[in-house]
Amino acid sequence: MIIEIGHYALVLALATALILSIVPVIGARRHDRAMMDVATIGSLAMFSLVAFSFGVLTYAHVVSDFSVENVWENSHSLVPLLYKYSGVWGNHEGSMMLWLLILTLFSALVAVFGRNLPETLKANVLSVQAWISVAFTLFILLTSNPFLRLDPAPAEGRDLNPVLQDVGLAIHPPLLYLGYVGFSVCFSFAVAALLEGRIDAAWARWVRPWTLAAWTFLTLGIAMGSYWAYYELGWGGWWFWDPVENASFMPWLAGTALLHSALVMEKREALKIWTVLLAILTFSLSLMGTFLVRSGVLTSVHAFASDPSRGVFILCILLIFIGGALSLFAFRAPRLAAGGLFAPISREGALVVNNLILTVACGTVLTGTLYPLLLETLTGDKISVGPPFFNLTFGLLMAPLVVIVPFGPMLAWKRGDLLGALQRLYVVAGLAFLAAVIFFYIEHGGPVLSVLGLAAGLFLILGAVADLWYRAGIGKVAGRLAWRRLSGLPRSAFGTALAHAGLGVTVLGIVAVTTFQSEHVIEMKPGEVTEAGGYSLHFDGMQPGTGPNYTEDRGHFTIRRAGVAVADTWSAKRLYTARQMPTTEAGILTFGLSQLYVSLGDATKDGGIVVRIWWKPFILCIWGGAVFMAFGGLVSLSDRRLRVGAPRRKAKPAKPAAPAMEPAE
């Protein structure tokens, strides 16, 4: 009975969303406060109903109610409790429920924390959110109902996909969806503003916190997904330019551009039209990612659905929302004021270049992802666009960005001093290059161009530090005064520095792994030894093992350095009994920021086994840098200026004192 109640709650959520999508819009047009108040009450009610429905589905998984088809297909009584929870969204139907839950959560958050918004804008924003909720609730009820019953109920389930039985899956999809769906708020703000015809600095101030929150979660989600694939799939790679990976990366690139564009709009009331367009495109790319994953047009370990009817439904949602929003934009954009002017050499100019590079890079990834699909549709020919294309084009586009980023905070608004910025950063550039050469020498060489990559990463890190250094006046004023200036900087200044430094750390990790990693594929028998990364790996032999729902053969390796045992690790080949599906569990040892990665292959006829061994220097910098970027986003989000209303221009003092540095952002 509880399952039917959960299903009924979802139907009630649809009815609530339908009311919410119509009444507040009419109220905003009539300036009827009672009708506009429906937006707040309805958003909270809709979230409560969806949360209850999602809780019922979770309960069915936890108690292994195999009369529910979704539970039977994606669970097993012997699955550990953690994977019963994560199994809720480890399938198409459950993941769409998670999508809808987060969508209604953001609507409720706007309803609760949007008290400072104009009543008409808030009503329109929540109505647009409701339009999206209606579409996805209908999609779930009509094509992806997770509450379907089986009669008679099977005695046992088919088990969760073994590659998804990992703690990473419990973290990765919720974080990713918080980013994906979080951009729906930016989309709703853009559509609501176009409906009202009012877009100004206040609008940018209201949009920025939601953009920053979505970007932060998406950064963590992409990083978690990359690390999960790295250690769970046993392939030793951290990014393969898989189309589904690209589907999450494109909104991140567009969201990064939107974040910087909104800053320019807030400070200078410039780039209004461009910022609104980015808000629409960012969520449109999120919707496109949903279509790619669930339409069946892609074959990937990440893809869920292969039912063409579901793909057609999502394609219709895509066309309605993207086409409708862009049509509204085309109608309203000519009536919008262009905004303030600024010199090419200024902080605004640097942020514009940042936007251009990010959007062109996003377009490149989009082209490489969709071109094979379009070609196959039109001609029937199948081709693949792989890492060589993406690495070359994306790398060349992003190279100028890492050089430009440290200059942005050093330039003043409206008109900057490029020579002054160069004077502040030339020491930083010299130190970065020197450190890169030393790093290159310690790692015993490699491609000479890697020095430039290492220097670029270090330049980003040191440039972020230099920004805070000069703002505080360290070395120019007394220590106590410098400390007061540093501690008095707004939190967004520290958040920006952390995010830029995090990007530098990630660049360092990418360059170091790409350049200096080593790989060995050998056949080993018990007692044999091989070398990797300055360590000796002694293969001690294989042992059988069992888990709650699998059997495995485990290989034990002792790691020695200079003849002394320093660690040991297990690498395994598992067989999940319910699905009869094998997986590889890599043995990974961490030494500082580097890792030794051991993966088992097939057994040989003479009693040996194929072993793949990678030495990956500084690979943890890749994900550590992403964590730094996300933490920078959280620090910026804690800045009170992002949680209040529109900025007010301060009256100019009669005798302005020359500040030591431009106020931080």
Side-chain angles (χ1 to χ4, degrees):
M1 185 64 181
I2 184 68
I3 304 301
E4 283 68 34
I5 295 175
H7 187 191
Y8 185 59
L10 194 59
V11 175
L12 286 179
L14 173 62
T16 305
L18 286 169
I19 296 171
L20 183 57
S21 63
I22 298 172
V23 174
V25 175
I26 298 174
R29 298 286 292 179
R30 297 178 177 178
H31 295 282
D32 186 324
R33 175 169 293 182
M35 296 181 74
M36 288 190 288
D37 285 343
V38 171
T40 299
I41 300 171
S43 295
L44 295 174
M46 183 171 59
F47 169 66
S48 300
L49 289 166
V50 173
F52 177 79
S53 184
F54 187 84
V56 169
L57 182 61
T58 304
Y59 169 79
H61 274 263
V62 170
V63 301
S64 297
D65 184 354
F66 298 123
S67 69
V68 180
E69 184 177 1
N70 182 264
V71 180
W72 171 70
E73 288 184 342
N74 302 284
S75 189
H76 192 278
S77 60
L78 297 179
V79 169
L81 182 60
L82 174 63
Y83 304 146
K84 289 184 178 181
Y85 280 108
S86 63
V88 176
W89 53 80
N91 59 86
H92 169 73
E93 293 82 4
S95 66
M96 291 311 302
M97 282 294 295
L98 179 65
W99 175 285
L100 182 62
L101 175 69
I102 294 175
L103 179 63
T104 56
L105 170 63
F106 273 104
S107 297
L109 290 174
V110 173
V112 172
F113 295 106
R115 291 187 295 269
N116 62 321
L117 294 173
E119 290 182 342
T120 55
L121 178 63
K122 181 179 178 181
N124 283 327
V125 168
L126 291 177
S127 286
V128 177
Q129 285 287 105
W131 299 347
I132 304 170
S133 299
V134 167
F136 280 96
T137 308
L138 277 174
F139 174 72
I140 292 172
L141 290 172
L142 297 179
T143 71
S144 309
N145 189 350
F147 297 106
L148 295 178
R149 290 280 201 174
L150 293 174
D151 187 21
E156 190 54 87
R158 298 177 59 187
D159 204 3
L160 180 64
N161 188 333
V163 299
L164 304 181
Q165 293 187 34
D166 184 84
V167 66
L169 184 71
I171 304 171
H172 166 55
L175 287 175
L176 199 64
Y177 284 6
L178 283 167
Y180 263 164
V181 185
F183 285 123
S184 68
V185 179
C186 309
F187 175 86
S188 298
F189 266 96
V191 173
L194 289 172
L195 288 173
E196 289 191 9
R198 179 197 174 196
I199 300 174
D200 52 19
W203 180 88
R205 172 62 63 90
W206 292 319
V207 167
R208 272 187 67 199
W210 301 103
T211 307
L212 192 56
W215 178 88
T216 299
F217 285 121
L218 187 57
T219 301
L220 290 173
I222 292 173
M224 184 67 249
S226 169
Y227 189 62
W228 168 75
Y230 165 75
Y231 73 77
E232 176 64 22
L233 300 183
W235 63 329
W238 54 273
W239 193 262
F240 195 65
W241 293 107
D242 181 284
V244 181
E245 290 176 329
N246 296 348
S248 63
F249 190 45
M250 290 184 289
W252 186 88
L253 291 171
T256 306
L258 172 61
L259 195 58
H260 291 83
S261 180
L263 177 62
V264 176
M265 183 175 170
E266 177 191 339
K267 283 293 179 182
R268 302 297 307 163
E269 292 201 28
L271 304 182
K272 291 182 181 180
I273 298 173
W274 175 244
T275 304
V276 172
L277 180 60
L278 274 178
I280 294 172
L281 292 179
T282 301
F283 183 60
S284 299
L285 289 169
S286 296
L287 290 177
M288 182 177 295
T290 304
F291 169 72
L292 292 175
V293 174
R294 298 167 201 288
S295 62
V297 300
L298 296 177
T299 301
S300 167
V301 70
H302 307 81
F304 281 117
S306 58
D307 184 352
S309 63
R310 292 171 176 173
V312 171
F313 200 112
I314 295 181
L315 184 60
C316 291
I317 294 175
L318 207 68
L319 293 175
I320 291 171
F321 283 98
I322 297 178
L326 291 178
S327 299
L328 179 62
F329 173 80
F331 177 72
R332 288 286 196 180
R335 306 182 184 184
L336 299 177
L341 300 177
F342 51 85
I345 304 300
S346 62
R347 191 176 300 186
E348 296 97 324
L351 292 172
V352 167
V353 174
N354 165 291
N355 266 229
L356 289 174
I357 293 174
L358 287 171
T359 50
V360 172
C362 182
T364 301
V365 176
L366 179 64
T367 301
T369 303
L370 295 184
Y371 177 71
L373 302 177
L374 294 175
L375 185 66
E376 183 179 356
T377 301
L378 296 175
T379 66
D381 297 331
K382 292 187 177 183
I383 66 168
S384 62
V385 177
F389 167 80
F390 290 107
N391 290 340
L392 179 62
T393 56
F394 187 80
L396 289 176
L397 286 170
M398 296 302 289
L401 181 66
V402 299
V403 176
I404 293 171
V405 165
F407 283 88
M410 298 286 182
L411 296 173
W413 293 104
K414 197 172 183 179
R415 184 179 299 276
D417 181 4
L418 182 59
L419 180 61
L422 285 170
Q423 289 174 340
R424 295 189 184 105
L425 289 174
Y426 80 91
V427 175
V428 170
L431 289 174
F433 185 78
L434 178 62
V437 172
I438 295 172
F439 189 101
F440 182 81
Y441 176 77
I442 293 174
E443 291 293 328
H444 307 294
V448 176
L449 286 178
S450 64
V451 174
L452 298 179
L454 295 170
L458 291 166
F459 183 57
L460 283 168
I461 298 170
L462 296 177
V465 175
D467 177 39
L468 298 178
W469 180 285
Y470 284 114
R471 289 183 189 278
I474 298 175
K476 295 183 178 180
V477 299
R480 290 185 178 179
L481 179 58
W483 172 252
R484 284 202 301 270
R485 286 184 176 180
L486 183 65
S487 58
L489 291 175
R491 292 180 185 175
S492 59
F494 294 100
T496 299
L498 281 169
H500 290 176
L503 177 61
V505 173
T506 296
V507 170
L508 272 180
I510 292 172
V511 175
V513 170
T514 304
T515 304
F516 304 117
Q517 74 173 351
S518 61
E519 178 183 359
H520 305 280
V521 181
I522 60 173
E523 177 189 348
M524 296 188 73
K525 297 178 181 178
E528 291 186 347
V529 180
T530 188
E531 301 288 328
Y535 294 90
S536 299
L537 282 79
H538 185 279
F539 180 40
D540 301 314
M542 301 292 293
Q543 295 182 15
T546 59
N549 59 338
Y550 62 83
T551 61
E552 65 178 358
D553 290 317
R554 303 189 300 165
H556 185 259
F557 296 84
T558 301
I559 316 300
R560 293 184 172 89
R561 190 177 183 100
V564 179
V566 294
D568 71 317
T569 188
W570 294 88
S571 186
K573 300 277 288 184
R574 289 181 180 174
L575 179 66
Y576 284 79
T577 52
R579 291 207 177 199
Q580 289 296 300
M581 182 173 174
T583 64
T584 299
E585 301 297 321
I588 302 176
L589 285 171
T590 300
F591 300 97
L593 296 174
S594 305
Q595 288 187 332
L596 193 63
Y597 189 109
V598 184
S599 179
L600 297 181
D602 297 328
T604 59
K605 295 180 180 179
D606 56 355
I609 190 167
V610 176
V611 181
R612 300 187 70 176
I613 303 167
W614 287 271
W615 171 247
K616 297 185 173 291
F618 296 91
I619 190 168
L620 292 183
C621 289
I622 296 174
W623 304 294
V627 172
F628 270 110
M629 285 188 274
F631 184 65
L634 292 175
V635 171
S636 293
L637 198 59
S638 69
D639 194 321
R640 185 180 178 276
R641 296 181 306 165
L642 294 183
R643 303 194 303 276
V644 297
R648 295 180 180 178
R649 295 185 180 276
K650 294 182 178 179
K652 294 183 179 180
K655 294 181 179 180
M661 283 296 298
E662 180 79 5
E665 276 308 320

